[in-house]
């Protein structure tokens, strides 16, 4: 089955092609070679209240923010399409704010919301 590799987060993912027998040839790839394209989690447009995971840190990031932390998008600053910025809040288990920081799209990975029973 063909697969892709995300250049942002290095995630490998399966691609569901229309024509699996000719997919690699049609994209100029050798059999087993990944297509380099953003995964859904890095490509999806983020909105307020989306859950995100920190995958990299900007230089001016507060020390409390760590790679792997999950948070919620509070505000989107969409003034520059190349550097989409978001206010993200991460909370402790008791609900208090662990950190609040401005992070860029390439620092964040979309996280599917948990299922509510």
């Amino acid at each position: 089955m063909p697969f892709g590799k995300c250049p942002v987060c290095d995630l490998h993912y399966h691609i569901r092609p229309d024509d699996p027998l000719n997919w690699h040839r049609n994209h100029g790839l050798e059999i087993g070679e990944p297509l380099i394209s953003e995964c859904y989690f890095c490509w999806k447009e983020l909105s307020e209240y989306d859950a995100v995971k920190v995958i990299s840190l900007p230089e001016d990031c507060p020390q409390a923010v760590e790679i792997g932390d999950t948070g919620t998008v509070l505000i989107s600053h969409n003034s520059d399409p190349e550097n989409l910025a978001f206010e993200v809040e991460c909370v402790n288990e008791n609900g208090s704010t662990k950190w609040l920081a401005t992070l860029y799209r390439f620092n964040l990975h979309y996280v599917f919301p948990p299922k509510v029973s």
Side-chain angles (χ1 to χ4, degrees), residues 5-112:
K5 180 180 179 190
C6 181
V8 179
C9 68
D10 287 333
L11 178 75
H12 284 81
Y13 57 93
H14 288 287
I15 298 171
R16 186 173 181 189
D18 295 333
D19 182 4
L21 298 177
N22 293 314
W23 189 88
H24 279 87
R25 185 180 68 212
N26 293 341
H27 288 84
L29 300 170
E30 298 292 324
I31 299 296
E33 184 180 358
L35 173 69
I36 304 297
S37 66
E38 285 185 348
C39 67
Y40 174 77
F41 305 101
C42 291
W43 169 82
K44 183 189 178 304
E45 187 174 317
L46 297 178
S47 303
E48 290 181 359
Y49 310 120
D50 277 347
V52 291
K53 180 178 178 181
V54 178
I55 59 171
S56 65
L57 300 174
E59 292 177 14
D60 59 347
C61 191
Q63 288 184 336
V65 181
E66 297 178 4
I67 292 176
D69 282 350
T70 55
T72 303
V73 173
L74 300 180
I75 300 171
S76 173
H77 303 287
N78 292 333
S79 57
D80 181 6
E82 294 297 315
N83 292 312
L84 296 175
F86 301 91
E87 294 295 323
V88 179
E89 180 183 33
C90 179
V91 296
N92 294 310
E93 288 184 19
N94 66 3
S96 64
T97 299
K98 179 178 177 183
W99 53 260
L100 178 65
T102 301
L103 299 170
Y104 298 97
R105 181 62 181 100
F106 56 85
N107 300 126
L108 302 170
H109 200 262
Y110 174 76
V111 177
F112 282 115

